[in-house]
Amino acid sequence: MVAEAKAQFGCINGVIHASGLHGGGFIQRQTRETLEHTLASKVKGTLVLHRLLKDEPLDFMILCSSVSGLLPEFCEIGYGAANIFLDAFAHYDTTVNGRSTVAVNWGRWRGRGLSVKIEEEHRKRTGH
């Protein structure tokens, strides 16, 4: 992937990591597998990008996090944890590795993105 990008563009100046899976459900009903699935795209994705690009002189790395890491939403324990990881990783990568890594804590986009699925499931559970 890195070699292909460099062959096509000459260099990699920056990375935007924008992935996520919502992890709905009460914490009592979560299993290790469901939480790992929810965490995978943000946590494993970040670690894979870090490993693949650790020797690249990036100008920036942007991790698309969510305010749910700061203000957890009801029944979103896995999603909140994944975003907390992104925030912590950005701090680590910047302070320890000296890279320009930032986590952007996006708010909810009503009617867009993951919030659509979360809102649908909330309506099914509550009838509202």
Side-chain angles (χ1 to χ4, degrees):
M1 173 187 83
V2 173
E4 283 182 35
K6 289 171 88 173
Q8 185 171 353
F9 303 110
C11 66
I12 300 172
N13 298 100
V15 174
I16 300 172
H17 178 39
S19 72
L21 296 171
H22 100 93
F26 294 104
I27 191 169
Q28 298 90 334
R29 295 185 180 165
Q30 297 295 309
T31 65
R32 180 182 182 107
E33 291 77 23
T34 59
L35 286 173
E36 285 177 351
H37 179 72
T38 302
L39 293 169
S41 67
K42 288 186 181 281
V43 175
K44 287 183 181 177
T46 299
L47 295 175
V48 167
L49 287 171
H50 175 70
R51 187 170 53 249
L52 291 174
L53 300 168
K54 67 180 166 67
D55 296 324
E56 296 297 320
L58 298 177
D59 294 330
F60 65 90
M61 178 182 260
I62 298 173
L63 306 174
C64 292
S65 185
S66 166
V67 295
S68 70
L70 305 169
L71 303 166
E73 294 188 36
F74 184 68
C75 289
E76 291 297 319
I77 190 72
Y79 185 67
N83 288 294
I84 290 169
F85 171 83
L86 292 183
D87 298 345
F89 182 86
H91 177 74
Y92 159 81
D93 205 32
T94 299
T95 58
V96 174
N97 296 326
R99 306 218 19 186
S100 294
T101 301
V102 66
V104 178
N105 298 111
W106 294 99
R108 261 179 95 181
W109 296 1
R110 188 169 186 89
R112 301 273 188 254
L114 291 176
S115 66
V116 173
K117 186 166 178 105
I118 293 166
E119 288 168 3
E120 287 173 5
E121 290 188 15
H122 176 74
R123 278 193 290 278
K124 286 178 191 174
R125 282 194 299 265
T126 65
H128 295 94

